[in-house]
Amino acid sequence: MNELNQLFEKVSGYFALLSEPTRLKILHALCDGEKSVTDVVTSVDSTQANVSRHLNTMYRAGVLGRRKEGNMVYYVISDEACVELCRTVCTQIACSMEEQNISKRAVRDFMPLA
């Protein structure tokens, strides 16, 4: 039972981390590789303060890796399982949207396969 509880804690952590739309946008922006904070800010169309806060949260959770080069900070996805989880959920939602005759263009393009 202890192992099952540990599994539930890990899954719950992923869902808590991914419950914020800006974090999903950040993952999407980083799917094609490492980006600077400035590039991520541009990709997700948010403020630098907001994006930096989310990047730091995702880094502390182990989903992202980062490196510094001068005064630039670059982020990269370090937990592919998180990306796979997003792809799975987005695929399921896209199928549900299609069944409901709702346009799924944005969802279809989310998290392109590497």
Side-chain angles (χ1 to χ4, degrees), residues 42-113:
T42 301
S43 294
V44 303
D45 193 30
S46 187
T47 66
Q48 181 163 348
N50 188 41
V51 170
S52 292
R53 181 174 53 88
H54 288 299
L55 286 167
N56 192 44
T57 298
M58 295 169 77
Y59 170 75
R60 284 193 328 261
V63 171
L64 301 180
R66 69 180 174 198
R67 69 177 178 86
K68 287 186 84 166
E69 190 175 295
N71 11 333
M72 298 290 289
V73 180
Y74 295 86
Y75 283 88
V76 66
I77 294 172
S78 62
D79 184 349
E80 288 298 323
C82 187
V83 174
E84 287 302 316
L85 178 61
C86 285
R87 283 187 185 126
T88 300
V89 172
C90 286
T91 300
Q92 291 298 317
I93 290 173
C95 289
S96 174
M97 290 172 72
E98 186 176 70
E99 290 172 5
Q100 297 171 21
N101 294 323
I102 299 171
S103 172
K104 65 173 188 167
R105 177 175 158 72
V107 177
R108 183 178 354 127
D109 295 336
F110 187 77
M111 298 288 176
L113 295 174

